[in-house]
Amino acid sequence: MTPLQRYIAEEIATDHVDGLLTRREALRRLSLLGIGAAAATSLIAACSSSDQQGAPSTATSAAPADTSPPGMDSAVSTAAVTWAGPSGELQGAWAEAVRPRGGMLVIHENKGLNDWTRSVAARLAGAGYSSLAVDLLSAQGGTSTFDDPAEATAALGNREPDAMVADLKSGIAEVQRRTPDLRVAAIGFCMGGGLVWRLLDSGAPELAAAFPFYGPTPEDPDFSGSKDVAVLAFYGELDQRVNATEPAAAAALQRAGMVHELVTEPGANHAFFNDTGDRYDPAAAADAWRRVLDWLAAHVG
């Protein structure tokens, strides 16, 4: 099992432990990753034990029905786009700011490029940062070709992280092409947050800023090739699994001498920014949005 597959598997198991998935559905999703019943049962038991030993990991309450996600009031429309990637055509959603102040690459969760990810690009563009949300399942025909979201997640788990990083670097180049003479940043959530860390580990001097949201740090990261990138990372207080990797990120950022801030949102859990999910935390999302815009103004334009 690759580190990415293990991360996805642990997330599925944790979702079951937290009551977000039935046992049957968790076992089905784990089987799509190639994990047999015995191994899946052991993984669920391990995640259950870890959850009981740490802080409570319950889902946060949903936002009131009349409360829009931060930035939605000024969101723009998105358009489907394609461009030449390192191994074939890449797909994405492009949101263009009326008066661009910079560009942004948006990296989706392990569910692929869906409407929520498009909404993030649309909101960022509404705030002045033209954004490209890349589809990391482009080689498989795109996220929209998967009728079962769990199969899309499994397909992402089967991709090599280095190949995804290559696609992301192509995405950065496409953002640069569409926003000439402007600085560019990258933002990612969940698996996408982990890929932001991998981008920095691979060397991403093209970026002016980076925003990993509750993403796992790769093993032994070296961010020296991205030393001029200003990093603002977010964690949820209750997200024990990802938070365990935060010290490695902090140490690597410090070693590289990078401008950085690591924010832990109190009382928030994994995926607190996703308003379509059970762990959405309106207060944490609003605070993170404000911080992201302030960071963009300071480091991008």
Side-chain angles (χ1 to χ4, degrees), residues 152-245:
T153 297
L156 285 165
N158 287 330
R159 292 208 62 194
E160 289 294 330
D162 287 348
M164 287 196 279
V165 168
D167 286 349
L168 296 177
K169 290 194 171 187
S170 175
I172 292 171
E174 181 66 10
V175 175
Q176 290 176 314
R177 186 185 72 81
R178 290 172 176 269
T179 57
D181 303 320
L182 296 177
R183 293 178 178 175
V184 172
I187 189 169
F189 304 87
C190 181
M191 180 197 78
L195 287 171
V196 172
W197 289 124
R198 287 186 178 274
L199 261 177
L200 297 175
D201 185 45
S202 71
E206 309 90 347
L207 296 177
F211 304 91
F213 272 70
Y214 32 81
T217 315
E219 288 188 19
D220 302 319
D222 178 2
F223 299 149
S224 59
S226 307
K227 60 184 179 62
D228 294 325
V229 183
V231 178
L232 176 62
F234 291 94
Y235 299 87
E237 182 185 15
L238 305 182
D239 188 5
Q240 304 167 55
R241 184 170 59 99
V242 173
N243 292 354
T245 73

Side-chain angles (χ1 to χ4, degrees), residues 2 15 37 50 69 139 142 151 158 173 200 203 207:
T2 68
D15 283 351
S50 174
E151 291 185 354
N158 287 330
L200 297 175
L207 296 177

Side-chain angles (χ1 to χ4, degrees), residues 61-87:
S61 58
D66 60 349
T67 300
S68 296
M72 191 61 78
D73 56 345
S74 58
V76 305
S77 61
T78 64
V81 296
T82 60
W83 69 97
S87 302

Side-chain angles (χ1 to χ4, degrees), residues 105-131:
L105 180 72
V106 181
I107 311 172
H108 56 68
E109 302 173 321
N110 62 29
K111 300 174 180 65
L113 178 56
N114 54 20
D115 287 342
W116 178 77
T117 312
R118 293 185 186 90
S119 82
V120 174
R123 286 182 266 166
L124 286 164
Y129 302 93
S130 295
S131 297

